[in-house]
Amino acid sequence: MDSPTVSVLIGAYNAAPWIGETLRSVFDQTYPHLEVVIVDDGSTDGTLAAIEAAASGTDRDVTILSQENRGACATRNRAFEASTGDLIQYLDADDLLHPQKIERQVRRLAQQPFGTVASGPWTRFQDEIPADLTAVPRESDWRDYEPATDWLVQSWGGDGTIPLFAWLIPRAIAEAAGPWVEGLLRNQDGEYMARILVETERIAFCEGAWGFYRTSGSGSVSARRGRAIAQSLADATERCERTLLGHKDSEAHRRAASGLWQMLLFEAYPTAPDLVRQAEARIEALGGMYRTPGVSRPLRPIRDYVGWKAAVRLQRLYNRVLR
């Protein structure tokens, strides 16, 4: 396929402060064969008007849809259903892409056999993208993988994170993986990418195909805690384990699934004791993989000598006092 069309799929909810900049980073892509599908998820802050204003100044192929608020997964499903591209680029409404991000990944995929997805480097930013990207520390998972599930083993073991926007996914693989699971409140991206990668033969890492993750406060789903959030994380973890072990039940894959349950263990303690017990039981059944959770430096001696549960309780109390 010489000139595949790339579908850039964006869901937006109350993203008026950022959506214009995000869309400019898409419209400024050097790759010419793009279609952009944007779904406003029932925003109440003028996001839809901001989308329409930004789109009015481009000659790109842009489809704007609007719906009642249904959440990120439903929004991505609707955008995918409305798209026609050969390759899929997901993008959150506040994140940004380097102008050559898509072109570099399309070129690399053109050199790869069928069954390859592309990844790329990324970094966080708050107000401005780092001026010198060569100074951004290189991560251990910025490399090729074959089989692709080796990335899941490394990442679930605590060594590697690649955000959703950093991937470029062939449509055939996305169709084989199936739709986003609507209703999940935590680790939606991880659950989805687990299904993508078990349908994938290899990952081709693309130098210079940068994406930029905006850190804009603590109101995101990933920053929220509580029983419903922990239960949703448990549901996602169950799905991830089933996906990976259903693909191949190996010692490495069981260790990786154990690592995910450990993340739930830290998240659920002490507010959801039943989920803590569930996580501990799955960790034991999978062969056990215990790490210590990250806590602030003053609490590390407590974690190391008294135990992680006491340190986590103190960390949560410390965080509430700071708020």
Side-chain angles (χ1 to χ4, degrees), residues 42-57:
S43 299
T44 59
D45 70 340
T47 292
L48 182 58
I51 292 170
E52 291 170 341
S56 67

Side-chain angles (χ1 to χ4, degrees), residues 80-102:
F80 183 81
E81 291 165 2
S83 70
T84 62
D86 308 294
L87 299 166
I88 304 299
Q89 166 72 66
Y90 286 105
L91 183 63
D92 285 350
D94 55 350
D95 296 330
L96 305 176
L97 303 179
H98 186 280
Q100 293 183 312
K101 193 271 188 188
I102 291 175

